[in-house]
Amino acid sequence: LHIGHAKAMFVDFGMARRYDGRCYLRFDDTNPEAEKQEYIDHIQEIVAWMGWKPWKVTYSSDYFQELYDFALVLIRSGKAYVCHQTGDEIADYRARKMNSPWRDRPVEENLRLFEDMRRGLVDEGRATLRMKMDMGNENFNMYDLIAYRIKFVEHPKAGDKWCIYPSYDYTHCLVDALENITHSLCTLEFESRRASYYWLLEVLGTYKPLVWEYARLNISHTVMSKRKLNQLVTGRHVRGWDDPRLLTLAGMRRRGDKPSAIN
């Protein structure tokens, strides 16, 4: 977590405090390859150090069964299909606003193939479940986003029950609805995803939270990108995530900064 996340915490927890509400701390653990307990423990430690107390700590994986059930509803209503395009082919077709060759396959065939995916009968990378959205829309995030992909990786929390995992675009809005979130707050780079967020909730007929975007924190002459911070740490250009030269919250704590000064 870096100083940009401190602003996010201030907005999220601060809004809940100001209006006598409740703020969740939810881990989006939909990618089993990226989940490590040490990251989860560190995030909770930093949140507590910053003086915030979540009303409840949840995980997207808590809702894997409900998300799978929603996927079946989408398929049966003709709003999702199994696609065999590669990642590069999907990107190329989306760039040209072209439909997947498998977009209009029959519902029963989609149900059978998705069941094969769930049972581990389809090789990783050979199929995805995509939402049948609007390929003619001007918003790139409406171009048949991926809902499920195959990963033969054991999940650190869900174990080996699943070999298909939901995407962030599919999961985020549905878990918001399942948890009865009133206000889903995010930074402005996610504003273009609002269309896909509400499209999915609309076609499933679920509760719709209010989405509200705010400006993210940018600071000059330092590194804020998680990807670039990771390169600095893994490349050993700095002495870990708590190197005091970094504007990570662990680094600022080691430097001697207090939560009251950051908040």
Side-chain angles (χ1 to χ4, degrees), residues 69-112:
D69 293 338
F70 277 135
L72 294 178
V73 174
L74 283 179
I75 296 172
R76 292 188 181 111
S77 63
K79 295 296 185 180
Y81 61 96
V82 174
C83 179
H84 299 291
Q85 288 185 301
T86 65
D88 289 339
E89 288 171 340
I90 290 175
D92 177 53
Y93 271 57
R94 293 181 78 215
R96 293 187 284 161
K97 294 188 176 183
M98 292 177 58
N99 290 342
S100 163
W102 291 278
R103 195 175 199 263
D104 296 317
R105 72 191 332 161
V107 168
E108 291 304 319
E109 186 178 353
N110 282 316
L111 287 170
R112 176 177 58 80

Side-chain angles (χ1 to χ4, degrees), residues 8-71:
M9 283 187 263
F10 181 82
V11 172
D12 294 346
F13 286 103
M15 287 285 284
R17 176 182 291 176
R18 179 176 181 179
Y19 294 104
D20 194 27
R22 297 165 175 173
C23 185
Y24 283 75
L25 174 60
R26 185 197 306 152
F27 291 95
D28 176 43
D29 57 343
T30 54
N31 183 0
E33 296 173 320
E35 308 309 325
K36 292 185 178 179
Q37 189 61 43
E38 61 186 285
Y39 294 158
I40 294 172
D41 293 341
H42 176 70
I43 288 171
Q44 294 192 74
E45 180 208 347
I46 290 295
V47 169
W49 176 71
M50 290 291 292
W52 304 115
K53 185 177 181 180
W55 178 68
K56 193 175 183 180
V57 177
T58 63
Y59 301 79
S60 293
S61 59
D62 294 339
Y63 305 96
F64 275 176
Q65 184 62 52
E66 290 89 338
L67 294 171
Y68 173 76
D69 293 338
F70 277 135

